[in-house]
Amino acid sequence: MQFADIQEARDFLEQHPEVRLIELFLIDANGVPRGKLLHREELLAIYENGRPLPSSILALTINGEDVEDTGLVWEVADADCWTYPLPGSLCLQPWRAQPTGQLQVSMHPTQGLPASPADPRHALVRVIDRLKADGLHPVMAVELEFYLLDQQRDANGRPQPARQMNGVRPQAPQVYGVAELEQVQPFLDDLYAACETQGLPVRTAISEYAPGQLELTLEHRFDALQAIDEGVRYKRLVKGVANKHGLQACFMAKPFGDQAGSGMHLHVSLADEQGNNLYASELSDLEGGPGTLLRHSIGGMMSCLLDSLALFCPNANSFRRFQANSYAPLAKSWGVNNRTVSFRVPGGPAKSRHIEHRICGADANPYLAAAAILAGIHEGIKQQLDPGAPISGNGYAQATEFLPTDWLTALCALEQSEWAKAQFGEEFLKVFLAIKHREYREFMGEVGEQDWRWYLTQA
């Protein structure tokens, strides 16, 4: 675990005398940034001595409620656990009305006890280190879909797509529409400018397959941890810039039942120490040739798919995204240049060859999703697992082994998985599963509008 040098803070303070406040945040099990707003004078001390945060900060539901079964609340007296700054994370938040800095921290492996085993970033670091020990350097990129919504609900209390510059609320999908991008240009201009300020490598913007739905891509990084750190910070940035424009950026997996869901596609390849793509020469073998590194990688991800589904789809709403012909995958399937499968090998030149993992909802914690993907790849390579024949044509019509479409099945599979225990550790799983089982009970115990509409008079 590498933490930032104090010179980074000194340089920032010298270059930005206007900054009075610093947002310090850590990413919890749900991918939610949690932390404190600090004064400028407190920054150097964080780099010198760390910053204590309560152990319960990693024991919270998505609604910010303590989960006692994690063992990180009263059992340990909600102890202070020391966090330290991550290199390159100190930057400006240009969407704030008052000049404000931003600093991401992570638990120290020893000084952060008892909470440090529950830090989701640690889980990814451990998996990456195991791959590098075998001479395999994971290269990754994050691709996130989201909706731009009004902050005000409609007359029925439902969320609604934001009005465009022309005052019209979009009704049709208009996928790939350039006019739709032009209509949100003020938001996109500020978003790109904020990304440049924070050093985030955001590139192509696309109008996605629903009214008000957008997708922006981030560049591949040779350092997979850097790629995921940037994905996490990008999500924070999108929400901040949207709020500045009086909008809400929504990363729910399925905010509208009759519209496309939002996914987080993670792109991955393996390189040697010099950065050469180890998948680059393998396309000729993809359709049934001898086992190759790329095929074994896909085979491993397929073999661990059920065990890790609760990390890819961590919420009740996550599973509403799985619908046929919706560009969300439904089965253990792979193919070349095929968007109807779970694991897609895009076309393009050999040097860019990689796997696109298409299962995660946009609500997934990027650290945990990436850790599960890379752990599956490593398993497939070690065990030389073959994924079988690739799907050609409509993967929805040819699917034979479907993913479960309910939250509890996925949670139970993770809980019973010996593979997950070996990859993530029992301490991490105890905390994560305690949080998720608590959320499951609360979600299923809540009676709402749908129950009344279906059963109030007919039952």
Side-chain angles (χ1 to χ4, degrees):
M1 183 68 64
Q2 294 183 341
F3 296 111
D5 187 90
I6 192 171
Q7 190 59 44
E8 180 180 287
R10 292 183 181 127
D11 292 343
F12 180 85
L13 293 174
E14 182 180 350
Q15 294 164 11
H16 299 288
E18 76 283 5
V19 168
R20 309 311 305 166
L21 298 172
I22 309 288
E23 180 186 283
L24 176 145
F25 73 87
L26 172 146
I27 298 297
D28 75 1
N30 277 300
V32 176
R34 301 192 186 274
K36 300 181 177 184
L37 193 62
L38 307 177
H39 283 271
R40 173 189 183 90
E41 291 76 14
E42 300 177 86
L43 182 62
L44 290 179
I46 300 171
Y47 281 76
E48 291 174 334
N49 306 309
R51 180 79 186 198
L53 291 175
S55 57
S56 59
I57 199 170
L58 288 174
L60 300 173
T61 68
I62 199 163
N63 292 318
E65 300 167 325
D66 287 339
V67 180
E68 295 182 27
D69 289 346
T70 60
L72 294 178
V73 190
W74 310 128
E75 188 175 324
V76 295
D78 199 10
D80 275 342
C81 303
W82 261 255
T83 65
Y84 282 82
L86 298 180
S89 68
L90 181 58
C91 57
L92 294 174
Q93 288 188 332
W95 58 86
R96 294 262 196 174
Q98 179 175 334
T100 303
Q102 173 180 297
L103 179 65
Q104 185 179 354
V105 297
S106 183
M107 287 288 172
H108 190 281
T110 55
Q111 297 177 36
L113 293 172
S116 54
D119 189 326
R121 191 175 185 272
H122 288 213
L124 177 56
V125 169
R126 290 192 293 269
V127 174
I128 291 174
D129 285 347
R130 288 195 290 267
L131 278 164
K132 287 183 176 179
D134 287 347
L136 303 170
H137 295 257
V139 178
M140 297 196 77
V142 179
E143 189 179 286
L144 272 166
E145 299 167 337
F146 62 94
Y147 277 84
L148 269 187
L149 306 178
D150 268 353
Q151 291 185 342
Q152 299 297 319
R153 304 289 180 88
D154 68 12
N156 296 311
R158 297 187 179 95
Q160 55 186 341
R163 292 187 185 276
Q164 299 172 333
M165 285 173 59
N166 58 10
V168 174
R169 197 180 309 283
Q171 301 294 324
Q174 296 298 357
V175 64
Y176 304 125
V178 292
E180 282 62 36
L181 295 177
E182 182 182 350
Q183 287 299 321
V184 292
Q185 185 171 340
F187 165 77
L188 289 177
D189 286 346
D190 275 0
L191 190 149
Y192 275 113
C195 286
E196 185 175 352
T197 296
Q198 293 200 347
L200 300 178
V202 175
R203 297 295 179 259
T204 306
I206 302 170
S207 175
E208 269 293 347
Y209 200 62
Q213 190 184 38
L214 299 170
E215 176 190 87
L216 282 84
T217 59
L218 287 90
E219 278 192 347
H220 287 75
R221 294 295 200 186
F222 174 69
D223 182 345
L225 184 59
Q226 177 187 1
I228 303 304
D229 282 339
E230 290 174 344
V232 165
R233 294 165 198 162
Y234 165 74
K235 191 172 181 179
R236 172 71 185 96
L237 179 150
V238 172
K239 290 187 175 185
V241 173
N243 187 62
K244 175 186 175 182
H245 283 260
L247 307 171
Q248 179 182 8
C250 173
F251 290 87
M252 274 181 69
K254 191 74 171 177
F256 302 103
D258 58 347
Q259 301 291 350
S262 292
M264 178 175 68
H265 299 162
L266 292 173
H267 298 251
V268 60
S269 60
L270 295 175
D272 61 20
E273 193 169 356
Q274 288 72 43
N276 300 305
N277 187 352
L278 297 175
Y279 291 163
S281 62
E282 299 187 347
L283 189 57
S284 61
D285 292 331
L286 287 180
E287 299 187 4
T292 64
L293 194 68
L294 192 151
R295 285 179 66 90
H296 292 157
S297 297
I298 296 172
M301 288 190 290
M302 290 177 70
S303 74
C304 306
L305 181 52
L306 178 57
D307 296 33
S308 47
L309 190 60
L311 302 173
F312 302 145
C313 305
N315 303 307
N317 179 262
S318 308
F319 293 87
R320 298 189 187 279
R321 180 170 154 263
F322 295 127
Q323 298 180 14
N325 304 318
S326 67
Y327 293 103
L330 296 170
K332 288 184 179 181
S333 57
W334 75 282
V336 180
N337 197 17
N338 189 331
R339 285 187 170 84
T340 68
V341 298
S342 297
F343 308 105
R344 170 179 174 252
V345 181
K351 66 180 181 181
S352 69
R353 189 157 302 131
H354 64 278
I355 304 163
E356 180 187 22
H357 185 283
R358 297 175 57 81
I359 295 167
C360 300
D363 57 340
N365 183 327
Y367 290 123
L368 299 181
I373 289 169
L374 295 178
I377 286 174
H378 204 189
E379 180 77 6
I381 292 170
K382 290 189 295 184
Q383 303 299 328
Q384 297 189 351
L385 301 178
D386 191 89
I391 295 290
S392 179
N394 187 347
Y396 295 110
Q398 300 177 55
T400 57
E401 190 174 355
F402 291 94
L403 300 174
T405 55
D406 71 282
W407 196 12
L408 185 59
T409 298
L411 289 174
C412 290
L414 178 64
E415 190 169 26
Q416 297 163 12
S417 171
E418 294 300 321
W419 170 84
K421 291 176 185 175
Q423 297 296 328
F424 291 93
E426 293 191 14
E427 290 180 285
F428 168 81
L429 288 177
K430 174 190 174 182
V431 173
F432 182 81
L433 287 166
I435 291 169
K436 287 298 161 184
H437 279 302
R438 163 76 174 274
E439 290 177 356
Y440 174 81
R441 292 191 298 270
E442 289 189 355
F443 188 90
M444 295 305 295
E446 186 173 318
V447 177
E449 189 271 340
Q450 184 178 16
D451 295 76
W452 300 324
R453 182 161 42 85
W454 277 58
Y455 305 120
L456 192 65
T457 60
Q458 298 301 323

